[in-house]
Structure formats: structure tokens, C-alpha cells
Amino acid sequence: MKKLISTKMGFFAIVLVLFWLKTYLIYKMEFDLGVKGSIQEFLLFLNPLSSGLILLGITLFSRGRKFGRRLIYMHILLGLILYANIVFYRFNSDFITLATMMQTNNFGSLGSSIIDLMQWHDLLYVIDIVVLIVLYNKFKGNWSDTRIKIRKPFIILAMGVFVFTINLGLAEADRPQLLERAFDRNYLVKYLGLYNFIAYDTVQSANTSTQRVLADSDDITVVENYTKTKYAEPNPAYFGVGEGKNIIKIHLESFQSFLIDFKLHGEEVTPFINSLVHDENQDFTYFDNFFHQTEQGKTADAELIMDNSLYGLPQGSAFVVKGDNTYQAYPAIIGQRQGYTSAIFHGDGKSFWNRDEIYKHFGIDKFYHEDYYDMSADKVINYGLKDKPFFEESMKYLEELEQPFYAHMMTLTHHHPFTINEEEATIERAETSSNTVNNYFQTARYLDESLEQFFTDLKEAGLYEDSIIMIYGDHYGISDNHNKAMEELLGEEITPLKYSELQRVPFMIRIPGVDGQGINHEYSGQMDVVPTMLHILGIDAQDYILMGTDMFSEDHKDYVPFRKGNFVTEEFTYLNGAYYDNETKEIIEEPTEEMLKLKETVLHELELSDKVMYGDLLRFYTPNEQWKPIDISDYSYIKEE
Ligand code: GP9
Ligand code: MN
């Protein structure tokens, strides 16, 4: 041992091991990362190593004895960063990001309580530093005063990069698109480690803040001109019909429209939802040509679109990357103008998709996340709380909400890979070559049952009759990886056009006192929901920057753009450079002027939406005299004990 410490590389190895073990032990003791399975356990253990090799390794370039001191400083610095995160986590159950550091109020809320958050056992976290200082003073005399052979630090850095690559590869295998989608800081830390997460966060922030800095107020005028021209006047038969009514918005996770009326083994998969579509007495209007418009942000994109009528980003999730923008979202608008209380119910951790930050900017008053629910093992599966206990437990919160409310119930069980306990499955699995497809129907049935139970509870609580009920699917559940199995199931070829047709998700709405239309065939998408819902409450959508138009309006624009520039209309579909006839399914060899023009419009619309998002342009826009900018310090989603 003595001999080891007597060399610089030996001392380096000791610091590295201490750093590695300390970081790992702190992960285990301080953070609740939800590590499941042996791969995740292994990655959690491995991930400090690459950061250690690289960050501590840099100090090896120092001349002479300076190296030892620099190495210790670096170790202390990394320890301080880790400790700051420990303290922050104790309060927020989340990690520090550059964005949160900019929002001083985040620390404000910590402020006086910071001492409170420190604990006596934290003193243990300096033991390693004391040990290193003692060793350093004792052995530095033995070190030669010459520079370490230049090849060595390079080897160490290369090892760091190598370990990181292995780490990332294993992480991506366990959780595909980890970096692209970047859904949750907990995930990034669990898989890649705190220091790699900080590096990732820094690059992300630098990238996006440049565009924000370059934007100015003229940019929003161009967007405003576009949305004002696209605007569709309200239909007088629907304008204001829902004013003052509670709104219950139900998110059907990964639910595609092909499930409706679909029979498996001769049985309806979702008999309850089917009854809402077909039973006239239920008074629903079901849009059977409604499409999701999400991309990598998945659920978060659906939420963004359906509360803001703006597109998600071409890459990544706007919830994460643009979580600090100014928004003029539906909950804030109806809260300010008609006194609605808005609440989101979701049985998952609050930081998933950065929800606990962006919801503030949407003006969401209450967020009932996993801390509000009984998350015992038998109630949880896959991502979080099972839908049945979720709806059941949500009732007490819903009944307490100040009325009128806008309550968004977000289900979770019908999520890839669609796992369910055998005893809770009430329909046989499908029999195709893909497990995902086979399981899909069991969790869809479970969701259907949980919805029926929720309707019964709502009726019992007297909350059903007089509430607007809106139900929607967020995005596909079956990706094109499973085309072969879908062919086996549907007995037809899944061409690119067919796959695009399968991107329909349900949208249905019931407005008390208004006769349902049954099935409405208008082509529409998630972008159209905000203007529709504003008009139902009697608020003119014209003032706001919205990319969609009112689905009940005579003037509704019935083309549905998708994030990649494809789009669909009643007659034709534009898909990756080709126009298809919806009826014959054939390629249209000579598209009309009008078709070509619509393609330009769609691209222009996407570009304008991206400008709003990347430039944070809504900070330059005042919709009308009623609008009051959101002060995010008015919101907190930490559960009070
Ligand atoms: C996680 C849940 C699922 O909280 O909303 O998100 P998804 O993976 O569908 O985007
Ligand atoms: Mn989803």
C-alpha cells in the first residue's frame, strides 16, 4: 500500500476508487432512483467510473507536485456538486439542472430550510477528503518532481471514454432512446450517473439558449398573422355551451382507435368504450378521424399539444428541453378568465417528463403525483400505479377540488410493454409473433374496465351528469417494429399508408345539455383541441397563438399535419414525398396545385411553431387585456404532510 501511494499513479488510483465508492454509496443512500433488475444495478455501480477517469484524470496533466493538490481539489469540487444535489434532492426529489439554477425561486424555496436539510451523518461525506489530505501530506515528498509521462493521462482519458461508451451502450439497450427522449432526470442519473447527466444538461441548455437569445418581438408578429388567418369562427350551436361546467379530461395511454369495436377471439376488447361511441343515450360525440400528432415526447407531446396547440419539438421532448418557456396554456387561460381550478392526476413520479417544472408554466394549480397515492407493490406495475387503484384513489381528491375544475386524469397501465398480472387479465392474449402486440389487448381491456369503474364512481359522487367529459388517446402503442405481427392480426399488409392510418387515436366528448352527434367523421388532430375547448367555454380562440382550429366550426381546417411534415386530409395523405389517394390507396402521380400548396402550408406551420418554441416567443406576446403573465413561484407540487 505504502509503495502504491509513493507513486503519483498509485495516489491517483486511490482517489479514483474513493470517488467511485463514495458516489455509488451516495446513490444508494440518498437518492430514490428506482433501480430494477441486475443490468440497472450494474450500471448504477459502473457509471461513476467514467466520470472519475475523465474528470480526475485531467489533473494528471499537471506539472510536478501540483498534481496532488489539483487532484484533491477536483475530488472536493465533485464532492461538493454531489452534496449540493443531495440537499436539493432531499427537498425536491429531483436533481439540479442549469435551468433550475437560473430560477432563483427554486433555491428561494430552499433558502432558510437549507440548514434543516443538512443532517449529522453528512459529516461522513468529508471523511474521504480528510483521509486524502493526510495521505497527500505524508507521501508527497516521495513523488518525483517531474511531469507524469504524457502518455499516461491520455490512456486514462481514453479508458474513461471507453467505459462511458460501454455504459451508454448497455443503458440504451435497457432503455432505448435514453438520450434522445431524455424523459426523466432520475433515469439519466440512474443509467449514466450524476456527472454525465450534468454534462448532458449543460450541452442541452447551451444549444437551446442561443436561439432564445437571438429572438425578438418581431418574430411573434409573423406567427400571429399566420394563426389569425388560420383561425376558424366558432359554431354558434357550441359557443359557450359548457361555460362554468367542470371538465374531466381522460387520457387513454397508448390507445389507438383500431381498438374500438375490435374483436379478439370473437370478443370486444373494449366493450365499455365502445358503448360510449355507439349508445346514443350516452351523448358523446366521437371523432373517428382524429389523429395524434406526437413525436419523441410521446405522452408529454400529447399533453403539450392538447393544452397549448403548439407542436412538440422535432427531436427530444419540449417538456424537458423547453420546460422554462413562457406558455399561454389552456389551464392558465380558463383559470384566469373563468376561475377554473386545474389539476393533473398521474400515478408516476412528479419529475417524469419534467412535469413538476413545466406544469407551473401552464398555470396548473394542483398536481397529484405518486406521493399522493398508495404505491405499495401490489398496486404498481410497469411505470407506476395501476389504473384501477389510480381512479379509485383519485376520487377523494377530485371531490375536494374547488369547482369549476379542469381535471386531467392520466392513466398508465396500458403502456409498453403492456404488462399485467395474470389474475387481472380478463381477455386472452392475441396470438401473433410479437409479445408486445399480444399483450396490448389485455391492458387495453384493463383500461376499459378501469374507465367503467371511474364512470360509476363519478356518477355516485354526483360529478358525472353536469361535467364535460373528454376522452383521448395520446399516441400509438404499437410501433412499426411490429408491422409483421399486426399483419398477422389484421390480415392485411401494413403499408406505410396503412401504418399512417393506424395513427388515429380516439377523441370523444360529452357536453351536458348538448345532444351528442354519435360519430363525427371530420379529419382533425390533437392540435385542434384547445380552440375547440375554448369555444365550448365561450372564450374566443382568436386572441391566442394556436396552431389548430375548432373542430365544431363550419370553418375547421380539416388537414392534419404530423411532426415530420407528413399530413392527412379527407381525400389524400402526404407521406414521405408521395401523395396517396385515401380511397384507392394508390400513389397520385400528378398532385394538384392545391395539394402542393398544402404541403408548403404544413411545413410553414411547423416552422412557425418551432420558432415559438425555440425562441420562447410567447414572452413577447400579450393575447388580450385579460391575460396575466404566470409567476411560477405561485405554484408548488410538493405534497404537504
Ligand atoms: C410516464 C407516462 C408515460 O409518466 O406518462 O410516458 P410515455 O412513455 O408514454 O411518454
Ligand atoms: Mn404515453
Side-chain angles (χ1 to χ4, degrees):
M1 188 72 174
K2 252 190 191 162
K3 220 168 139 201
L4 183 72
I5 309 174
S6 303
T7 68
K8 285 183 188 168
M9 287 313 282
F11 188 62
F12 174 77
I14 285 174
V15 179
L16 179 66
V17 169
L18 279 177
F19 164 83
W20 185 0
L21 288 181
K22 176 179 181 176
T23 313
Y24 177 68
L25 288 178
I26 285 176
Y27 285 166
K28 294 293 264 187
M29 283 160 42
E30 299 284 355
F31 305 129
D32 183 12
L33 295 171
V35 179
K36 285 189 209 98
S38 47
I39 295 203
Q40 293 187 10
E41 274 297 347
F42 174 70
L43 289 180
L44 187 74
F45 174 70
L46 178 74
N47 76 45
L49 180 60
S50 63
S51 315
L53 284 165
I54 294 171
L55 297 170
L56 298 172
I58 294 171
T59 61
L60 291 171
F61 287 102
S62 323
R63 205 178 262 286
R65 292 205 182 93
K66 273 198 201 127
F67 144 78
R69 221 176 312 143
R70 287 195 182 155
L71 182 57
I72 291 178
Y73 287 156
M74 181 59 97
H75 181 74
I76 293 176
L77 177 70
L78 297 177
L80 279 175
I81 292 174
L82 189 59
Y83 187 64
N85 275 283
I86 294 175
V87 175
F88 189 82
Y89 197 94
R90 281 179 190 157
F91 190 74
N92 294 287
S93 311
D94 203 347
F95 298 96
I96 304 174
T97 61
L98 277 183
T100 44
M101 270 168 27
M102 306 292 167
Q103 299 158 13
T104 35
N105 66 302
N106 255 319
F107 285 94
S109 61
L110 270 176
S112 59
S113 60
I114 213 153
I115 303 284
D116 236 37
L117 295 168
M118 294 165 115
Q119 294 170 2
W120 282 111
H121 80 252
D122 294 354
L123 285 174
L124 295 174
Y125 301 148
V126 290
I127 291 185
D128 55 323
I129 295 169
V130 176
V131 170
L132 285 179
I133 292 174
V134 171
L135 289 178
Y136 167 74
N137 282 322
K138 203 154 167 220
F139 291 95
K140 67 174 182 216
N142 301 356
W143 298 345
S144 68
D145 198 23
T146 50
R147 197 195 278 270
I148 295 171
K149 279 210 188 73
I150 194 74
R151 148 168 78 78
K152 287 191 180 162
F154 280 113
I155 293 175
I156 296 290
L157 293 192
M159 279 164 64
V161 173
F162 178 72
V163 174
F164 177 73
T165 315
I166 305 259
N167 187 159
L168 185 62
L170 287 173
E172 282 274 340
D174 198 57
R175 174 63 63 184
Q177 296 189 306
L178 178 70
L179 288 186
E180 274 167 281
R181 294 186 59 202
F183 14 77
D184 190 353
R185 288 181 274 282
N186 264 317
Y187 278 57
L188 287 171
V189 172
K190 170 166 76 176
Y191 282 110
L192 301 180
L194 183 71
Y195 302 100
N196 288 322
F197 160 69
I198 293 172
Y200 173 84
D201 179 55
T202 310
V203 173
Q204 278 280 9
S205 309
N207 257 343
T208 60
S209 59
T210 332
Q211 291 198 48
R212 188 180 186 278
V213 170
L214 296 177
D216 66 43
S217 58
D218 291 341
D219 298 326
I220 192 67
T221 315
V222 187
V223 187
E224 187 188 357
N225 291 341
Y226 178 81
T227 56
K228 289 240 152 83
T229 318
K230 192 178 176 189
Y231 166 75
E233 298 241 348
N235 177 339
Y238 284 87
F239 192 72
V241 285
E243 195 174 334
K245 307 273 179 219
N246 295 326
I247 305 173
I248 301 173
K249 172 182 176 189
I250 305 166
H251 167 113
L252 303 182
E253 177 60 41
S254 304
F255 197 102
Q256 291 172 241
S257 298
F258 84 87
L259 280 168
I260 289 180
D261 293 339
F262 188 81
K263 285 195 175 158
L264 185 71
H265 316 300
E267 252 181 83
E268 285 180 69
V269 179
T270 58
F272 181 68
I273 296 175
N274 298 350
S275 77
L276 301 181
V277 171
H278 297 295
D279 181 351
E280 275 174 22
N281 298 328
Q282 305 267 18
D283 266 333
F284 272 87
T285 301
Y286 167 59
F287 287 80
D288 66 346
N289 287 311
F290 182 88
F291 290 80
H292 81 81
Q293 293 169 291
T294 65
E295 247 311 308
Q296 289 176 334
K298 303 299 277 300
T299 297
D301 276 2
E303 290 183 66
L304 175 91
I305 298 169
M306 293 192 52
D307 268 340
N308 294 274
S309 197
L310 289 169
Y311 290 87
L313 301 180
Q315 280 104 32
S317 153
F319 260 42
V320 178
V321 183
K322 291 286 141 200
D324 282 316
N325 272 8
T326 297
Y327 291 96
Q328 289 153 2
Y330 188 72
I333 298 171
I334 65 173
Q336 293 184 6
R337 293 194 49 174
Q338 298 191 349
Y340 273 81
T341 306
S342 49
I344 307 235
F345 299 75
H346 190 44
D348 194 1
K350 68 181 179 343
S351 68
F352 202 100
W353 284 132
N354 195 30
R355 288 185 171 108
D356 55 339
E357 289 304 321
I358 200 162
Y359 281 174
K360 298 175 183 168
H361 295 271
F362 291 179
I364 287 162
D365 299 309
K366 298 217 153 81
F367 177 18
Y368 298 96
H369 45 78
E370 76 181 359
D371 298 352
Y372 289 83
Y373 295 92
D374 172 7
M375 301 292 286
S376 19
D378 60 324
K379 300 228 159 92
V380 169
I381 199 158
N382 201 356
Y383 273 65
L385 190 59
K386 295 178 188 172
D387 295 341
K388 285 184 186 173
F390 164 70
F391 278 126
E392 204 175 295
E393 274 194 74
S394 297
M395 282 307 298
K396 62 172 182 287
Y397 299 123
L398 201 57
E399 286 180 83
E400 274 168 14
L401 270 189
E402 202 179 311
Q403 303 195 9
F405 57 67
Y406 173 59
H408 185 185
M409 320 301 301
M410 303 209 354
T411 62
L412 196 49
T413 312
H414 186 43
H415 187 289
H416 182 268
F418 313 108
T419 29
I420 189 165
N421 301 338
E422 237 4 270
E423 62 279 11
E424 283 177 300
T426 58
I427 187 164
E428 289 293 312
R429 305 165 82 236
E431 285 155 10
T432 73
S433 52
S434 150
N435 265 332
T436 303
V437 173
N438 297 347
N439 292 350
Y440 188 68
F441 301 92
Q442 295 193 316
T443 47
R445 167 64 72 77
Y446 177 81
L447 174 55
D448 190 65
E449 289 168 352
S450 72
L451 196 67
E452 181 168 19
Q453 166 217 303
F454 183 50
F455 271 48
T456 309
D457 291 348
L458 283 175
K459 285 176 186 163
E460 245 164 53
L463 283 171
Y464 182 82
E465 278 309 318
D466 207 34
S467 298
I468 298 175
I469 313 271
M470 184 229 283
I471 303 175
Y472 72 97
D474 63 341
H475 50 74
Y476 66 77
I478 310 233
S479 72
D480 50 5
N481 287 330
H482 305 282
N483 279 355
K484 198 174 141 274
M486 284 298 278
E487 287 180 358
E488 292 158 23
L489 185 85
L490 302 177
E492 64 176 301
E493 194 190 343
I494 310 292
T495 59
L497 180 64
K498 178 69 193 174
Y499 185 73
S500 146
E501 290 170 0
L502 284 169
Q503 302 314 303
R504 285 179 172 84
V505 292
F507 180 83
M508 48 184 111
I509 185 163
R510 175 187 177 277
I511 310 163
V514 179
D515 287 341
Q517 299 176 356
I519 300 179
N520 180 319
H521 303 300
E522 184 77 4
Y523 273 66
S524 57
Q526 290 169 330
M527 215 58 71
D528 297 325
V529 172
V530 176
T532 309
M533 295 304 291
L534 282 173
H535 287 168
I536 287 175
L537 294 195
I539 299 172
D540 197 339
Q542 193 170 22
D543 295 348
Y544 304 95
I545 302 290
L546 308 171
M547 293 296 159
T549 56
D550 179 352
M551 291 148 73
F552 286 119
S553 163
E554 293 287 326
D555 202 19
H556 171 251
K557 307 293 181 292
D558 58 357
Y559 60 90
V560 190
F562 303 114
R563 180 58 260 194
K564 290 186 170 146
N566 297 325
F567 59 96
V568 55
T569 71
E570 194 179 340
E571 281 87 35
F572 67 93
T573 303
Y574 175 78
L575 199 58
N576 308 329
Y579 291 82
Y580 294 84
D581 186 313
N582 286 349
E583 209 162 297
T584 64
K585 319 282 178 203
E586 300 293 330
I587 289 190
I588 304 169
E589 299 296 347
E590 277 176 42
T592 63
E593 263 317 293
E594 214 183 318
M595 291 176 179
L596 298 172
K597 223 177 109 210
L598 193 51
K599 183 179 119 193
E600 293 313 313
T601 307
V602 164
L603 290 179
H604 185 54
E605 185 172 310
L606 286 160
E607 200 180 303
L608 290 177
S609 178
D610 287 349
K611 282 208 167 119
V612 173
M613 296 300 288
Y614 285 120
D616 189 9
L617 296 185
L618 291 180
R619 71 197 144 123
F620 302 121
Y621 186 68
T622 311
N624 47 35
E625 276 171 19
Q626 284 107 325
W627 175 255
K628 287 185 281 305
I630 304 271
D631 178 354
I632 56 167
S633 67
D634 292 343
Y635 301 86
S636 163
Y637 307 123
I638 293 162
K639 188 184 176 196
E640 283 160 26
E641 290 308 325

